Amino acid sequence: MYTIAALYHFTRFPDPAALKPALLELCLAHDVKGTLLLAREGINGTIAGPRAGIDAVLAHIRALPGCSDLEWKEAVSDHPPFPRMKVRLKREIVTMGQPDVDPRAKVGHYVEPQDWNDLIRSPDVALIDTRNDYEVAIGTFEGAVDPETDSFRDFPAWWEANKERFHNKRIAMFCTGGIRCEKSTNFLLGQGVEEVFHLKGGILRYLEEMPAENSSWQGECFVFDNRVSVGHGLKEGPHELCHGCRRPILPQDKARPEYEAGVSCHLCIEETSEADKMRFRERQKQIALARARGERHLAAE
């Protein structure tokens, strides 16, 4: 079994590039794969590997400046969720594009999963999903407002255009693991909203702790690994990825005429040019050849 650890932590790294080599070397030495993002504002990512390897990497991260109180969420998978390990340097560990936003200064009120239902069912509370449109499409909380954003960078403009809708409302916000809400709640507080709440640990913690029979969640939650989606108890969902657009689709969607493996699905068939599709077909061909070579190599062994 593979242990999956999703983590983020806001702290000040004066020189994130100096942290990269040792972190990458440790991950590779322990057969840990996934993606970690380093920026001056902290660290974010999801990794997977053997239990001992995950423990070693988490211990290393907790020893970094300001990370002793690092929190993370775990799940397990019987197949490897990631093909390789990447440690990347970024301007932001989650991109909002608002230089004045600083979650280390102030964020909204954290709400535990067991208290979430009562809050969001209050008539004076507006519930906002801060995730991207393709994530919301496969699951969200009952009654949530979908900003229909392509990326988190679009959220501030959406708020500016729609803020009058939420006059005299308390605002509750949620996202997959909690990181976007650290920034979005700080942003709303900076915009003068007085009462802002967010789901502690995000959707993933809610699905892990809340029994399905008491849940306000509808559908599946998109995750950024090879599981694609999870449901209550973090049980792997039915979705797969269209490798043309990286959106989640259901197995039956592969029978639709718009679907071509690695090239397109019904969601993106009109979004790419024929030149794009030819490029995707060549990429898919190379993937198939590499997979065939690997299978032959294993058979020879």
Side-chain angles (χ1 to χ4, degrees):
M1 297 296 288
Y2 295 85
T3 299
I4 304 168
L7 61 98
Y8 72 85
H9 193 74
F10 286 96
T11 186
R12 180 58 62 189
F13 289 150
D15 186 7
L19 306 177
K20 177 179 176 178
L23 184 55
L24 179 58
E25 182 179 353
L26 182 68
C27 290
L28 295 176
H30 286 84
D31 199 27
V32 170
K33 298 177 181 178
T35 299
L36 291 171
L37 307 180
L38 291 169
R40 290 185 179 274
E41 66 179 8
I43 186 169
N44 176 30
T46 305
I47 53 177
R51 175 78 262 174
I54 294 297
D55 288 343
V57 175
L58 292 175
H60 179 88
I61 295 173
R62 289 199 303 271
L64 296 178
C67 292
S68 60
D69 55 346
L70 173 77
E71 295 184 5
W72 66 92
K73 289 174 288 297
E74 290 191 1
V76 295
S77 176
D78 59 3
H79 55 274
F82 303 104
R84 62 187 67 85
M85 184 66 219
K86 295 176 284 188
V87 179
R88 293 178 169 173
L89 301 175
K90 294 284 189 176
R91 288 184 178 274
E92 302 177 67
I93 56 174
V94 59
T95 302
M96 195 181 200
Q98 298 290 311
D100 294 332
V101 166
D102 183 5
R104 294 173 303 136
K106 189 176 183 181
V107 296
H109 302 289
Y110 292 107
V111 181
E112 297 289 343
Q114 63 266 27
D115 301 321
W116 184 247
N117 289 349
D118 288 340
L119 173 69
I120 66 176
R121 290 169 182 166
S122 300
D124 66 334
V125 169
L127 180 62
I128 301 176
D129 194 330
T130 66
R131 299 172 302 151
N132 299 338
D133 51 7
Y134 66 89
E135 299 172 77
V136 181
I138 68 168
T140 191
F141 281 105
E142 180 182 354
V145 174
D146 176 11
E148 300 181 3
T149 50
D150 290 332
S151 75
F152 189 45
R153 186 185 288 272
D154 299 332
F155 183 83
W158 175 85
W159 173 259
E160 181 62 29
N162 290 271
K163 60 185 179 183
E164 295 304 322
R165 295 168 53 187
F166 308 106
H167 183 63
N168 288 333
K169 290 281 189 179
R170 295 186 292 160
I171 304 296
M173 311 175 85
F174 64 94
C175 57
T176 306
I179 186 171
R180 294 187 195 186
C181 291
E182 302 281 350
K183 284 196 168 182
S184 60
T185 59
N186 178 270
F187 172 75
L188 288 197
L189 290 168
Q191 296 296 304
V193 181
E194 295 183 357
E195 291 194 82
V196 186
F197 304 83
H198 54 130
L199 177 59
K200 188 171 184 179
I203 302 163
L204 294 180
R205 186 174 168 206
Y206 181 92
L207 292 177
E208 182 179 25
E209 298 183 4
M210 183 62 61
E213 59 270 21
N214 299 329
S215 177
S216 296
W217 177 262
Q218 299 175 331
E220 305 288 327
C221 177
F222 181 84
V223 290
F224 295 89
D225 59 59
N226 286 349
R227 294 174 297 169
V228 184
S229 69
V230 296
H232 283 92
L234 302 184
K235 181 181 177 182
E236 189 168 336
H239 292 85
E240 303 176 28
L241 275 188
C242 166
H243 291 285
C245 64
R246 309 297 296 177
R247 293 190 183 104
I249 59 174
L250 290 167
Q252 56 264 37
D253 292 328
K254 292 160 65 174
R256 298 175 64 137
E258 302 95 334
Y259 179 78
E260 183 179 348
V263 178
S264 64
C265 68
H266 65 288
L267 300 171
C268 67
I269 185 71
E270 300 295 336
E271 296 178 352
T272 55
S273 66
E274 189 55 37
D276 291 329
K277 292 181 176 66
M278 290 294 292
R279 182 162 47 86
F280 295 161
R281 289 185 185 106
E282 180 59 28
R283 178 186 63 189
Q284 191 68 10
K285 177 182 175 182
Q286 295 304 318
I287 291 172
L289 289 172
R291 185 177 296 123
R293 286 194 295 268
E295 290 173 354
R296 287 196 296 269
H297 176 71
L298 289 174
E301 292 181 340

